[in-house]
Amino acid sequence: MSSTSNAVVPRQPQHQVFLNFRGDEVRLHFISHLMRALMRESINVFIDNNERLGNGLENFFQRIKESSIAIAVISSRYTESKWCLDELVEIKECVEIGTMKVFPVFYKVDTDTVREQKKEFGDRLRALANQTKNSLRDSNTKRKWKEALQFVANKKGEKVDENSDEGLAIEKIVEGVKKMLGDISIEVPSARLSELGSGGNEAEPETLSDESPVFGIKTRIKQLKEKLLFESGDVTRVIGVVGMPGIGKTTLAKELFDECKCMFLNFMFLDDVRQKSKAHSLRRLQEDLLLGLQESNGTRDIKKALVVLDDVSDKRQIKGILGGREWVKNGSKIVITTSSKSAIMGMVDDTYQLHGLSDSDALRHFRHHAFSGNVEAEGNFSKLAREFVDYSRGHPSALKLLARELRNKDEIYWKDKLGTLANSPSNTIQDILRIPYDELSEQHKKVFLDIASFFRFENENYVRTLLDSSADNVSEIRDLADKFLINISGGRVEMNDLLYTFAMGLDSLATSSTNTTSERRLSNHREIIAVLKNKAEATKVRGIYLDMSEVTKKMSLDSDTFAGMDHLRYLKFFNSHCHRECEVDCKLNFPEGLEFVLPEVRYLHWLKFPLDKLPQDFNPKNLIDLKLPYSHIEQLWDGDKDTSKLQWLDLNHSSKLHSLSGLSRARTLQILNLEGCTALKTVHQVLQNMESLLFLNLRGCTSLKSLPDIILVSLRTLILSGCSSFEDFHLIAENLEKLYLDGTAITGLPSTIGNLQRLILLKLKDCKKLQSLPDSVGNLKAIQELILSGCSSLKSFPEVKKNLKHLKTLLVDGTAIEEMPDILRGDQGQTTSWSHCELCEWPRGMYGLSSVRRLSLSRNKFISLPSSLGYLYHLKWLDLKHCEKLVSVPMLPPNVQWLDAHGCISLEEISLPLDLLLAATEHLHSTFIFTNCTKLDQVVKNGIVSYARKKIQLMSDALARYEEGFVLDVLIGICFPGWRVPVWFNHRSVGSELKPKLRRHWNVGGLTGIALCAVVSFKDYQAQSSRLLVRCTCEFKEEDEPLIEFSCILGGWTEHGSYEPREIEPGHVFIGYTSWSHINRRGNIKGCVATEASLKFHVTDGTTVTNCAVVKCGFSLIYAPTDADHSLSTDMCSDVTSPTNGSGTTNVRVSYSQKSREVSNILFVAPSTDIEIIEEVTSFTASLQVEEEPKETDEKKKLVSVTNGSTSEVELGWHVDNNKGCFSFLRCLLSSWLGLGRERSIAIE
């Protein structure tokens, strides 16, 4: 890395513009005209007319370095020339270090062709590459050529095609170059100091000349002052500053103290309370505090005071030092810093939680210590710096220690260091993190290491059940979160990379030490196999997680392999590449049987368990979770065993299982999964004892004919889907909420079905023998989804005498029903707009808007919205753009689909819908835009991320219910200011490209969609269009496997009417989700598919946007959660936008074939809504009329056009008899489903 001084003086370019082009193709016409046009404007241009014959390429590299701007003219034969490509590589490197700007001209070649090197353009490049020698150096050159072409294709420039006016195009190029030169001339010399930190959200400028600047401190001080109510001089406030060790609590408190102590007569900073309380009594510390306050103004009287108690670890310290607080006068401000939230609970007026530095400040902090204030970086140092920042999650102490270790080291050392951090942090960082860890009890330490080794990102309640002590009011999970050693977010237990590698380092140290009391957690397959074979090493093993995909051959083990593992709590044999039955047998065999006592085991998961039952000596008294999927088991064990703690039992696809005997004492069992147990003919009467059972899954039990005559008082979900022999259904639980009977052989339902007053889902899809429904179905007052698709023998729907007011989904496609009762009509939606009314208060009569669907409040001056906003159940569209004084948004309505709060610069609080169940099927699109809402703090952003995550899982569940044949486009898009990819994305990367390695069969097992994240830097962004989208192009490819390609949209916006282009603050996070059903429309992605993925993220406004960039990205596969699922449903995608016609109308195409005496078959498909279509809700017009019914022919295509002011298009197909009842039913159903009122047009032609 080059050595530079703190002051960088820019050189004066010898040439203003360097022309890079393919001479044989464009020199004598386009280039000659362009050069003359530039010279007419007195722009100094370098062209190779007089030099190329006599000078080497290095001479042209020097000319490039001497220039301020490069015009790269990319033509169809450009890739024939090694000279052109090498020059372009040099131009790219100069642009990246900030010494040059580039203006690309795409001369009769598409930008996509250049970016992806396609067609003849790419063929010429590959032919040129094949001419070079096959050396490592030449291979690197080829890679640089491709990267340079991709780089220039992503820059904004000018396109000249066959139909272009070249004279006009040259004028635009010259104007663009003049603007660039003007921008360069006014840039301050120090601007190039920001190269390493580019992409960050620059806060207040910090001088690099400071010995140790505190980056981002001004914003934090301001926020803390607001908590302390400094503006209210007579108000006494006690504020706790909380955060993990080394996060900057003491630094913040000291900076605040130094800045504000002049405002007080008395002031005292009592540091290191935790350590001092060990050496001195609390009474002594109180005396020190009071003495310090008196000495601060030279008198014994204590007036209004500023006090800091630094590094407190216990409530007793606060009580002992502050005493009765009789000395605290009005207007005093007290700050208490701590790494334990419980230490200040009930002792402070408010808390200020300190998070890591923003990416911008973290980069500046890192570069200051890594480069001694100098910021120019060669090679990949800039990207590596970002990866270190991403690893640290903005932890300032860790960044400082890492940077100092890396100072003056070469690139190879940096890369090696980054690799070692994946396993263990530096010793100096460990010293910081050990402080709270060492203060933990032994039990807390064990739980901390258990989470890091086995349960990172798992469901909180699940982890609590497995790991927490059984003692009352004791929760190790809660205590670890209190000390910031773990984080609980969205109901998941999370641990950041810094703490994870710290924990792994501790566990590795314990494993390798001679300490006989240390329990071992094993996940390395070689180490596990060694322990299994050498039983003497197995005595202190606490957990084993063996990935069978890493075991290359079958092994025979002794029967006493597990005999000495009395401390084993967690045992898992799994296959990360394939969780299904690709291989016939388990690779672990026990030819002489198996001794398997395991008295402490709590979690047992054994894929393809090889024996027909668990050994007789197996002791399940502490067992909580038992999973034996795809096993050879015929029954669990002989006789009854103590299963009093068992809560989860999963035997799915154990095809030999025929009995459930032995579970009579499983009274706490909550989840029982028997899916695919095809030999199971009856469910044992033992179920009667399972008084806590919530979820029973018998899907695909094809031999099962009936259920025993029992009552399960706690059962909420019963799944009998695909039980093709199941004929007789009777009620076994009256508190059911979800009942799946699809694909069974039932002919009817019992009249007692109406007793299910909590039932919200009844699925009877493809019950071919179902002939009728009892009238008591009308008593299901809570029903939300009734699915009758494919019930081909069902001819009538029962008369509904009561109002099924909660019914949201009714599917009757594929039935023989000819006429429906009038239960589908809904209220007419309304449109209300108060834009630009400059409202300072909310209008009265909020409850009078109960049926409003679109609400526009943009550019008003109110500070808050009323809580009654949440009662607008029908509200879909809410516009709050440029409400610059708006501080808080109350609980949003549950069904709001689109919210745009762009430019709400004062917005601090957002209450997102909590009752997500209300929105389970109401809509499948959600777009929430918070661009330029710069006052949102990290807690609020975390709430937004948590909402997105919950919404994704909710939609996954909804999608899973419709299964094959029902294609739903789903888009969830959320955007807010920030620079971080949420930690729950399984695959994350710095830059715009991600290449994850997926497990086999990633496309099955409940895959419902794909979640994507992009962090976009808008640092140089200038809006040129009314539209902006963040898109990801996905490729899945592997040898001998089919190529899968698709494109997904993460989010964006479209302005309408007299729009103003959005000016965007530098950094924003986009999170998006799209459904797998749209990606796999044709259903041809099956079986073993490619596991090598390539995801490329970019920003587009119809063309490629070159003045903003994706700087980070993330990706996760999303799987449908079930009631039995207590693990994270990720990692176990489609272009959702559709072209609009611009006319403001919706075309609903309904095609059908009409054949004599054919049974009705109606299939409804939900609308495919574009991201901007969600915004497009205009007034509804036209009148309802049904034209003449079609005459009978063998085969006809019909079109139904519905005008309702939207711009989406959907297709609905069915087969019908030629009868009036069907068309009447269609008209009724369309009217309700599309939200049509009296003024509509439905034409059947």
Side-chain angles (χ1 to χ4, degrees), residues 174-237:
V174 173
E175 287 301 315
V177 170
K178 287 169 64 179
K179 185 177 184 304
M180 279 185 173
L181 290 172
D183 292 341
I184 293 171
S185 66
I186 62 174
E187 286 179 353
V188 294
S190 60
R192 295 184 185 180
L193 291 174
S194 64
E195 184 274 325
L196 186 61
S198 64
N201 183 10
E202 299 296 326
E204 316 88 29
E206 305 275 4
T207 173
L208 291 175
S209 62
D210 290 348
E211 182 178 347
S212 184
V214 184
F215 297 100
I217 195 66
K218 291 183 180 179
T219 299
R220 296 182 173 207
I221 289 176
K222 180 182 177 184
Q223 293 169 345
L224 184 52
K225 280 183 176 180
E226 291 174 354
K227 293 273 188 181
L228 287 163
L229 301 181
F230 262 81
E231 294 182 356
S232 302
D234 295 331
V235 177
T236 301
R237 292 282 284 178

Side-chain angles (χ1 to χ4, degrees), residues 702-751:
T702 53
S703 299
L704 186 68
K705 294 186 177 182
S706 64
L707 295 176
D709 188 11
I710 58 175
I711 295 295
L712 298 175
V713 294
S714 300
L715 192 65
R716 297 293 184 269
T717 300
L718 174 60
I719 302 176
L720 291 163
S721 306
C723 295
S724 54
S725 300
F726 191 86
E727 299 175 344
D728 180 24
F729 174 75
H730 60 270
L731 215 56
I732 64 169
E734 293 195 352
N735 291 314
L736 276 176
E737 296 175 357
K738 299 175 184 178
L739 176 57
Y740 297 81
L741 292 168
D742 47 306
T744 61
I746 62 172
T747 58
L749 293 175
S751 60

Side-chain angles (χ1 to χ4, degrees), residues 216-351:
I217 195 66
K218 291 183 180 179
T219 299
R220 296 182 173 207
I221 289 176
K222 180 182 177 184
Q223 293 169 345
L224 184 52
K225 280 183 176 180
E226 291 174 354
K227 293 273 188 181
L228 287 163
L229 301 181
F230 262 81
E231 294 182 356
S232 302
D234 295 331
V235 177
T236 301
R237 292 282 284 178
V238 182
I239 300 298
V241 178
V242 298
M244 66 184 298
I247 204 69
K249 301 182 297 296
T250 300
T251 301
L252 173 60
K254 187 159 183 57
E255 291 287 332
L256 175 79
F257 183 81
D258 291 342
E259 180 178 316
C260 300
K261 64 184 179 182
C262 60
M263 302 164 58
F264 297 84
L265 292 174
N266 303 90
F267 44 86
M268 176 64 182
F269 192 105
L270 188 61
D271 64 347
D272 208 4
V273 172
R274 179 176 55 84
Q275 286 296 335
K276 287 180 177 178
S277 64
K278 295 178 181 178
H280 306 288
S281 68
L282 296 178
R283 179 63 180 270
R284 165 69 182 276
L285 295 181
Q286 184 187 47
E287 292 172 353
D288 290 346
L289 172 64
L290 296 176
L291 182 61
L293 288 170
Q294 291 168 353
E295 291 179 349
S296 62
N297 72 347
T299 68
R300 295 181 62 83
D301 293 335
I302 299 177
K303 309 284 186 184
K304 182 170 67 172
L306 175 63
V307 174
V308 176
L309 303 184
D310 183 49
D311 196 18
V312 168
S313 58
D314 193 275
K315 281 184 180 180
R316 290 171 295 180
Q317 297 165 359
I318 301 174
K319 293 177 180 178
I321 296 172
L322 296 183
R325 305 191 189 184
E326 59 276 355
W327 54 270
V328 179
K329 301 299 188 294
N330 287 343
S332 294
K333 312 295 182 185
I334 301 174
V335 176
I336 303 172
T337 72
T338 180
S339 296
S340 172
K341 287 181 277 191
S342 62
I344 59 171
M345 189 176 297
M347 307 297 293
V348 298
D349 299 313
D350 201 353
T351 59

Side-chain angles (χ1 to χ4, degrees), residues 882-899:
H882 299 293
C883 292
E884 297 183 350
K885 293 187 177 182
L886 184 64
V887 174
S888 64
V889 174
M891 184 67 67
L892 291 171
N895 293 312
V896 66
Q897 295 181 9
W898 185 88
L899 167 66

Side-chain angles (χ1 to χ4, degrees), residues 838-839 857-864 880-888 900-908 931-935 1060 1063:
E838 299 194 357
L839 293 173
L857 301 170
S858 60
R859 299 185 185 277
N860 280 299
K861 296 184 178 180
F862 40 69
I863 296 173
S864 64
L880 299 173
K881 290 195 297 291
H882 299 293
C883 292
E884 297 183 350
K885 293 187 177 182
L886 184 64
V887 174
S888 64
D900 193 348
H902 170 69
C904 293
I905 57 178
S906 301
L907 188 62
E908 297 177 358
T931 46
N932 288 8
C933 296
T934 53
K935 280 202 172 182
E1060 296 177 8
E1063 299 297 328

Side-chain angles (χ1 to χ4, degrees), residues 420-461:
T420 59
L421 286 176
N423 300 313
S424 177
S426 301
N427 291 334
T428 50
I429 297 177
Q430 287 203 43
D431 292 340
I432 297 172
L433 301 177
R434 281 202 76 102
I435 295 172
Y437 175 80
D438 287 341
E439 293 179 346
L440 297 174
S441 69
E442 285 303 314
Q443 176 62 17
H444 282 81
K445 289 178 180 178
K446 289 178 180 179
V447 172
F448 174 69
L449 296 177
D450 286 345
I451 292 172
S453 299
F454 305 134
F455 301 108
R456 196 179 176 204
F457 306 125
E458 289 281 10
N459 177 275
E460 177 193 359
N461 291 329

Side-chain angles (χ1 to χ4, degrees), residues 960-992:
R961 294 175 192 162
Y962 297 106
E963 298 174 326
E964 298 178 4
F966 200 93
V967 179
L968 295 175
D969 291 340
V970 178
L971 169 64
I972 296 173
I974 291 183
C975 172
F976 57 90
W979 292 97
R980 294 181 181 172
V981 175
V983 71
W984 57 269
F985 278 88
N986 301 74
H987 310 281
R988 306 187 297 275
S989 178
V990 175
S992 61

Side-chain angles (χ1 to χ4, degrees), residues 44 149 180 220 226 340 417 521 616 635 649 691 733 843 952 1000 1030 1036 1113 1203:
N44 186 10
L149 289 168
M180 279 185 173
R220 296 182 173 207
E226 291 174 354
S340 172
K417 184 62 181 178
R521 297 162 185 82
Q616 187 60 34
Q635 66 180 68
L649 176 58
E691 53 195 35
I952 287 171
R1000 289 171 63 193
V1030 180
F1036 297 81
C1113 53
T1203 301

